[in-house]
Amino acid sequence: MTVNKNTEALAQGLLEAAPDAVVIIDDTGTIILVNAQTEQLFGYAREELVGAAVEILVPAALKHSHVRQRDDFIAAPKIRPMGAGMELSGLHKNGSLVPVEVSLSPLQTEHGRMVISIIRDASERKRIEREMRDLNAQLQLRMQELLAANQELESFCYSVSHDLRAPLRSLDGFSLALLEDYAELLDDTGKDYLRRLRAASHQMSQLIDGLLKLSRITRSELHPQPLDISAIARRSLQQLLRPDPGRDISVGIMNDMQGDGDPELVAIAFNNLLGNALKFSANSPVPAIEVGMRQVDGVSVYCVSDNGAGFDMAYADKLFGAFQRLHTADEFEGTGIGLAIVQRVIHRHGGSIWAQGAVDQGATFYFTLQHAPSDIRERTATWKRATSSC
């Protein structure tokens, strides 16, 4: 007798501890046992459910078919989910419908055949599914918008490349012809106007080149692979110094810097960063450029440093914007697109880029080719310049 009581207590404890609603009915469809989760899910007190037909928990529109399905199950019982592939709902005491998932198991007892129904509240799953559907719809819309934007960008690039270059070539060609063929008819002011016209057309051509490069980097496909960053930096610097091989400059490039990325895009980034370093350090008594790398929480942080004109950190947020320049064209030539191109390359790789500098004290540009810790900028702010380590 004690064993039976202990067994009943254990069974009751397990029933109450179940995370889902449990409803046990007999072969007539009468509820004989429920747990606390059933009360919570459907809003009924236990006393209201025990002895009632199980259809009390079934929506009115499904009561008739449920009686037939219940009888069919009792006649040929087997463990299975109820309404597989269907959206099921239970009826709350207040008349609202509760999304549910139901599993059925037959149980043969000394009192006859019974059915155990495990009823899980599907409200949260349904909410997540709705949110996912809404999100997918938004993503589809966003994809369509991006495709349209890319098509517009393609058209714009074609127009820039063909339609704008033609008049620029005409301006440059005819102004050059005037200078060469009619120089004796022009006074110094007229010749100066033509030179300015040619300089402006060249500047516009450079801006067009920069825009096209920015566009191509945005649209080009990434081909990541293991990279010898040191070799890329050296090749880039050699190319940049080729027009002026006798330039006196101190260069320090750390050996054995490795990374992963698209070789062509990373080379473009170094071309722009080192090109800027050469340009802005040109007026220094002893120009110096360093390229290095350090590890921060397993992330490689690369740096390109110079001892040139530097910049005011108050305007650091303007560095990477297209056509944003912190120096006038009279001080240093350029289009203001180079650093925007570098940022686009770094972001295409999932990395970050930032800079530190001071007026007339040089600048250091840091970047990663992968996702980096959120505080990585603050941690690099304490780095001291040293040979080949920025």
Side-chain angles (χ1 to χ4, degrees):
M1 190 61 136
T2 303
V3 174
N4 288 338
K5 287 184 177 180
N6 289 340
T7 302
E8 289 180 11
L10 177 61
Q12 187 64 36
L14 291 173
L15 187 67
E16 296 301 328
D20 299 319
V22 178
V23 177
I24 300 178
I25 65 172
D26 61 18
D27 56 4
T28 67
T30 301
I31 299 174
I32 61 173
L33 192 63
V34 299
N35 64 351
Q37 291 291 345
T38 305
E39 296 178 281
Q40 183 177 346
L41 180 60
F42 292 103
Y44 287 97
R46 193 173 309 228
E47 295 76 19
E48 297 176 276
L49 293 173
V50 174
V54 71
E55 280 72 32
I56 192 177
L57 304 177
V58 177
L62 301 177
K63 287 183 186 295
H64 180 73
S65 60
H66 184 271
V67 171
R68 185 182 68 255
Q69 292 169 359
R70 182 197 70 203
D71 292 341
D72 290 344
F73 179 82
I74 292 175
K78 62 179 180 178
I79 299 175
R80 64 173 177 84
M82 181 178 179
M86 299 173 58
E87 298 292 335
L88 298 181
S89 297
L91 182 63
H92 193 277
K93 183 179 180 179
N94 62 15
S96 64
L97 298 181
V98 181
V100 294
E101 297 170 348
V102 182
S103 296
L104 304 177
S105 299
L107 177 66
Q108 190 65 42
T109 73
E110 60 183 10
H111 302 293
R113 182 172 292 165
M114 298 184 182
V115 178
I116 301 176
S117 301
I118 309 296
I119 306 171
R120 175 165 295 176
D121 186 353
S123 301
E124 182 65 13
R125 178 177 64 80
K126 292 291 186 182
R127 182 189 66 79
I128 294 174
E129 288 177 351
R130 285 194 301 272
E131 291 181 355
M132 290 297 294
R133 283 195 297 270
D134 292 343
L135 180 59
N136 285 334
Q138 293 173 15
L139 288 174
Q140 288 292 332
L141 179 61
R142 182 61 176 157
M143 283 293 294
Q144 293 174 0
E145 292 173 349
L146 287 174
L147 287 173
N150 281 335
Q151 291 174 351
E152 292 176 0
L153 185 59
E154 291 280 358
S155 299
F156 170 75
C157 290
Y158 181 87
S159 176
V160 166
S161 181
H162 296 81
D163 300 340
L164 294 185
R165 285 191 186 279
L168 279 177
R169 284 194 295 268
S170 296
L171 285 172
D172 184 55
F174 283 117
S175 58
L176 177 60
L178 284 172
L179 282 172
E180 292 178 345
D181 300 338
Y182 298 91
E184 69 279 1
L185 301 178
L186 299 171
D187 60 12
D188 290 340
T189 300
K191 293 175 184 178
D192 181 58
Y193 286 166
L194 286 175
R195 293 189 187 97
R196 292 189 182 189
L197 179 61
R198 295 198 70 219
S201 66
H202 290 165
Q203 176 73 4
M204 186 62 181
S205 181
Q206 290 178 343
L207 288 172
I208 290 174
D209 289 340
L211 281 172
L212 292 175
K213 287 179 182 177
L214 195 60
S215 172
R216 282 194 293 268
I217 289 171
T218 300
R219 294 179 289 117
S220 63
E221 185 177 351
L222 279 179
H223 299 284
Q225 57 187 268
L227 300 177
D228 185 339
I229 301 295
S230 299
I232 292 175
R234 290 193 180 96
R235 283 196 299 269
S236 177
L237 195 58
Q238 289 172 358
Q239 293 171 0
L240 292 167
L241 289 173
R242 193 169 295 158
D244 189 11
R247 181 173 177 180
D248 185 17
I249 183 170
S250 172
V251 176
I253 298 179
M254 180 183 288
N255 294 321
D256 300 322
M257 291 187 294
Q258 305 297 317
D260 292 292
D262 184 290
E264 292 186 9
L265 293 185
V266 173
I268 289 173
F270 270 104
N271 285 342
N272 282 280
L273 288 173
L274 290 170
N276 276 357
L278 288 170
K279 176 171 63 177
F280 291 111
S281 63
N283 298 329
S284 300
V286 183
I289 294 176
E290 297 176 2
V291 181
M293 182 192 79
R294 294 196 186 185
Q295 292 287 325
V296 177
D297 289 347
V299 175
S300 297
V301 180
Y302 307 94
C303 49
V304 176
S305 178
D306 68 75
N307 64 344
F311 62 91
D312 188 340
M313 285 294 289
Y315 303 103
D317 60 331
K318 297 180 178 294
L319 284 172
F320 302 102
F323 308 115
Q324 296 286 342
R325 304 196 66 208
L326 302 187
H327 301 275
T328 65
D330 293 335
E331 295 176 296
F332 299 98
E333 64 178 10
T335 60
I337 295 179
L339 288 178
I341 289 175
V342 175
Q343 185 187 58
R344 193 68 57 86
V345 168
I346 300 307
H347 286 177
R348 287 291 310 276
H349 286 79
S352 302
I353 183 167
W354 64 99
Q356 296 173 18
V359 176
D360 295 328
Q361 297 183 40
T364 301
F365 287 84
Y366 303 91
F367 67 91
T368 69
L369 294 173
Q370 64 186 98
H371 181 71
S374 58
D375 64 342
I376 198 164
R377 296 190 185 199
E378 290 73 18
R379 294 166 70 176
T380 57
T382 60
W383 291 5
K384 303 297 182 182
R385 196 197 321 272
T387 302
S388 297
S389 65
C390 295

